[in-house]
Amino acid sequence: MKLLTATSRTQGQRDNDFNFCVEGELVIVAPLVCDADAEDPDGGCGCGRSFGGLNSGKGTTTALVSDLDFTPDDAALAIRSALEQSSFIQFMRPEDVDDVIADTLELADGFDVGTVVEQRLGHIQARD
Ligand SMILES: [Zn+2]
């Protein structure tokens, strides 16, 4: 199935790009955006424009649409266990976790494998 993974491709296209993730790890859109970025994805923090790596717990502004040998159940389990070990979990209700999982499973829909995408306050778009 198609999922988003951390990539360094196209890093630098925006002045405020960053990538602290491990290349190829699964990413999610962070479930919470702080005040600094709440209205502006180019705010001071970075959480409004980044993806979170499930293994590293770090952020990247670029993700790659990848065709991985995962079933939706496999991916859901990976996302759930990563969230449960993250600092986000203390702010999340069980239904929030379910929402993040459902959203993550659909993030790559509508994009071709190999497309580099970015996120702007939860809106996913392709880069050139
Ligand atoms: Zn933030």
Side-chain angles (χ1 to χ4, degrees):
M1 66 179 295
K2 284 190 291 186
L3 292 163
L4 297 185
T5 59
T7 185
S8 57
R9 289 191 212 174
T10 76
Q11 279 283 312
Q13 198 177 90
R14 287 185 188 272
D15 290 345
N16 56 10
D17 271 338
F18 56 85
N19 175 24
F20 301 107
C21 288
V22 176
E23 190 79 13
E25 68 176 316
L26 275 180
V27 299
I28 61 170
V29 173
L32 301 165
V33 176
C34 72
D35 289 345
D37 284 13
E39 307 289 329
D40 178 7
D42 297 313
C45 174
C47 64
R49 61 178 183 277
S50 61
F51 301 93
L54 283 189
N55 293 86
S56 66
K58 298 193 171 144
T60 179
T61 52
T62 47
L64 181 67
V65 178
S66 304
D67 185 15
L68 300 181
D69 189 16
F70 269 63
T71 66
D73 284 349
D74 291 338
L77 188 65
I79 297 158
R80 183 178 301 281
S81 84
L83 282 174
E84 285 173 351
Q85 292 168 49
S86 77
S87 57
F88 292 119
I89 196 68
Q90 61 189 310
F91 305 111
M92 298 177 75
R93 299 164 299 169
E95 56 267 39
D96 297 331
V97 174
D98 293 339
D99 285 347
V100 171
I101 291 169
D103 289 347
T104 303
L105 296 182
E106 296 178 349
L107 282 181
D109 286 359
F111 297 103
D112 292 332
V113 171
T115 305
V116 176
V117 297
E118 60 185 6
Q119 77 103 347
R120 312 288 290 167
L121 296 177
H123 174 71
I124 311 295
Q125 60 194 33
R127 285 194 163 182
D128 294 333

